[in-house]
Amino acid sequence: MIKLELNRKTRQITAKEPPDVSSLQNGFFGEMKKGIIYLSPVEALYIMDIRNGRCYDEAGNLYTFNDIAALFLKAEKLLARYLTYKDWRDKGLMICAAAKAEGNYGKTVLIKYESSDFRMDAYSFDGLFFADDLLTVVDDVPTGKDLYQKYWMGQFGTYKAAHRGNISKLDIFETIFLLRHGGLQLRNKKLADIQKTARGRIKFFDDIYSVYEDWRKRGYVMKTGFKFGTHFRLYFPGASPVRTNTDWMHSKHVIHVFPRKHKQLISEWARAIRVAHSVRKTFILAIPGKKTKIKVDSENPRLDFLLYHRKKGGVETPKDGTPRYFMYSLTEDEYIGGEELAKALAECEHFGLEMVVGISDRESSVTYYVIKAIELPGSEYEYYEIEWVQP
């Protein structure tokens, strides 16, 4: 048994007995001051739950797990933080308070994507916009076929059977892109008209379109990600819908747009990532809008924990290693906003650590996602690869 002591006035929880102090110090719990271990509420709860800890106040009254938790209920995400802390510890890995972060650890990984100038031949053609479907039909056969084969713009003929049919269908993003950059004119609508229609039908349409154009202008092909629960699937420059031998070109990346002003249920966010992972596609999160400088408070990080990982022959510890990640602790039924996530990622960049999102579900099982920054040359937006991981 480990004996913990609660100071009811200050709400500080400590361990003072020499054997307990030694045990906790060896396990990298708390902070040592003059022979006494001072514990955070989460650490104290873990010791009571897992390490057979017993907590008493000055009068000798015994406190249960819920008694201690009730004292700190005003702390943000207390249970989410406890459950993710416990899970990481239970895997035999070290974890400590984010407030212990100092300096820049130099462990940020920047994934560099290629970029090229997108140039189209000069076209002048018309189409008919179908407002109910947010689609444009082009019945100019040579132009429709040329746009499809050269630039993978629109769908000529039938999906995966371009020889069946003579019309080309453009989605709303392709329609606007070609109105602005490709010589398209509509018989029945102006650009402003279809933009207004799209904004009324698709929430945050301007943000989603801006991401589409950002990648398209750098030579990438963007097609619907509907089958994978995302906004787009992404093909690298040079991709073509023309089948080679008997093989179709398959996308290896999907993009989901997360506007700064939007809040999304964590379970929906995680579901899209898991779907992408299940079909072996890399999930890219897009946060549109020019990146602004975010002030980081080094003394009071908004993230929750510093995570140590495995190394050859064992695990990293605060004694002989440095943290690998910053963890953001969440539960499946809460919401996260694009701006909130951007601020957390800026904090990771400041300390030179990658971010792990730890999500505790309704059964208290925790799922982890690693987030790595993408460099897309010429872009002012923020893009991140997100991967499901098992520590």
Side-chain angles (χ1 to χ4, degrees):
M1 184 194 81
I2 296 177
K3 182 180 178 181
L4 304 181
E5 298 183 28
L6 168 69
N7 184 315
R8 288 180 296 178
K9 184 176 181 180
T10 64
R11 295 189 178 181
Q12 286 184 326
I13 302 172
T14 58
K16 297 178 180 178
E17 299 294 331
D20 298 335
V21 169
S22 178
S23 174
L24 295 178
Q25 187 177 28
N26 290 336
F28 301 100
F29 288 96
E31 186 175 353
M32 172 76 83
K33 294 180 181 179
K34 297 181 179 180
I36 298 173
I37 293 285
Y38 289 79
L39 299 165
S40 70
V42 167
E43 289 173 318
L45 291 172
Y46 180 83
I47 293 165
M48 295 173 69
D49 185 19
I50 303 299
R51 297 284 298 271
N52 195 30
R54 296 289 184 271
C55 188
Y56 301 87
D57 64 14
E58 305 94 320
N61 298 309
L62 177 65
Y63 283 68
T64 66
F65 182 99
N66 279 347
D67 290 336
I68 295 298
L71 296 175
F72 301 98
L73 275 181
K74 291 184 179 180
E76 188 176 0
K77 303 183 301 180
L78 176 62
L79 191 56
R81 294 176 71 248
Y82 172 69
L83 293 172
T84 53
Y85 177 93
K86 173 184 177 296
D87 190 78
W88 197 264
R89 274 274 184 183
D90 286 352
K91 296 181 186 303
L93 299 170
M94 297 296 105
I95 178 172
C96 63
K100 292 186 178 181
E102 54 185 12
N104 185 299
Y105 296 100
K107 294 188 178 181
T108 302
V109 175
L110 186 63
I111 302 172
K112 296 184 179 181
Y113 277 53
E114 61 183 285
S115 181
S116 62
D117 291 332
F118 179 69
R119 299 182 184 278
M120 294 181 65
D121 293 340
Y123 293 98
S124 180
F125 63 106
D126 62 36
L128 187 68
F129 182 67
F130 292 75
D132 290 342
D133 311 285
L134 295 182
L135 290 171
T136 295
V137 170
V138 175
D139 57 8
D140 178 337
V141 176
T143 300
K145 183 181 290 187
D146 207 48
L147 287 168
Y148 179 66
Q149 293 181 346
K150 284 186 177 180
Y151 311 106
W152 205 340
M153 193 72 72
Q155 174 60 56
F156 186 80
T158 303
Y159 180 66
K160 290 192 175 181
H163 62 283
R164 292 184 57 80
N166 291 308
I167 62 172
S168 180
K169 287 79 66 181
L170 305 171
D171 68 28
I172 186 64
F173 303 101
E174 293 167 327
T175 297
I176 292 177
F177 187 86
L178 289 173
L179 281 168
R180 298 179 65 177
H181 307 290
L184 171 64
Q185 292 183 328
L186 296 177
R187 296 183 181 184
N188 57 332
K189 296 286 184 180
K190 300 293 185 184
L191 174 59
D193 298 327
I194 65 169
Q195 286 176 321
K196 182 178 180 180
T197 300
R199 288 168 186 147
R201 295 273 295 281
I202 302 174
K203 195 172 183 180
F204 299 107
F205 174 78
D206 288 336
D207 285 320
I208 299 170
Y209 175 78
S210 69
V211 169
Y212 172 89
E213 183 170 288
D214 197 37
W215 287 84
R216 259 292 184 182
K217 289 175 73 175
R218 286 164 180 80
Y220 290 81
V221 174
M222 301 277 277
K223 307 299 287 187
T224 178
F226 171 74
K227 294 179 181 178
F228 308 107
T230 60
H231 290 115
F232 303 107
R233 60 188 199 276
L234 175 75
Y235 299 84
F236 276 57
S240 169
V242 179
R243 185 165 60 174
T244 58
N245 299 323
T246 59
D247 296 328
W248 296 102
M249 178 169 285
H250 295 283
S251 65
K252 295 182 179 180
H253 299 72
V254 292
I255 293 183
H256 198 73
V257 182
F258 198 7
R260 294 176 187 273
K261 295 181 180 180
H262 180 49
K263 286 185 176 289
Q264 187 172 21
L265 190 64
I266 286 295
S267 57
E268 295 176 357
W269 183 78
R271 189 178 301 120
I273 301 171
R274 292 298 290 269
V275 168
H277 186 271
S278 69
V279 292
R280 298 181 181 180
K281 297 186 188 298
T282 299
F283 183 94
I284 297 175
L285 183 74
I287 303 180
K290 187 175 180 180
K291 187 176 181 179
T292 57
K293 188 174 182 180
I294 296 173
K295 185 177 180 181
V296 174
D297 184 352
S298 300
E299 301 296 322
N300 297 289
R302 57 173 52 84
L303 291 173
D304 298 298
F305 300 109
L306 290 170
L307 304 180
Y308 294 78
H309 206 247
R310 305 186 190 280
K311 64 178 181 178
K312 189 174 181 179
V315 298
E316 296 174 330
T317 71
K319 182 179 179 180
D320 58 15
T322 55
R324 181 83 59 89
Y325 306 109
F326 244 141
M327 182 155 74
Y328 202 9
S329 302
L330 301 165
T331 58
E332 71 166 287
D333 291 313
E334 65 181 288
Y335 285 79
I336 186 171
E339 186 65 28
E340 181 183 355
L341 184 61
K343 289 178 179 178
L345 288 162
E347 193 166 273
C348 290
E349 183 180 353
H350 174 81
F351 287 104
L353 294 171
E354 292 177 13
M355 187 162 88
V356 164
V357 177
I359 303 172
S360 176
D361 67 20
R362 296 179 194 133
E363 293 181 305
S364 71
S365 174
V366 179
T367 303
Y368 298 98
Y369 300 93
V370 173
I371 303 181
K372 299 179 180 180
I374 290 172
E375 179 184 316
L376 182 64
S379 176
E380 294 183 329
Y381 294 178
E382 294 178 66
Y383 297 109
Y384 301 91
E385 285 190 1
I386 303 182
E387 180 183 7
W388 170 61
V389 293
Q390 293 179 303

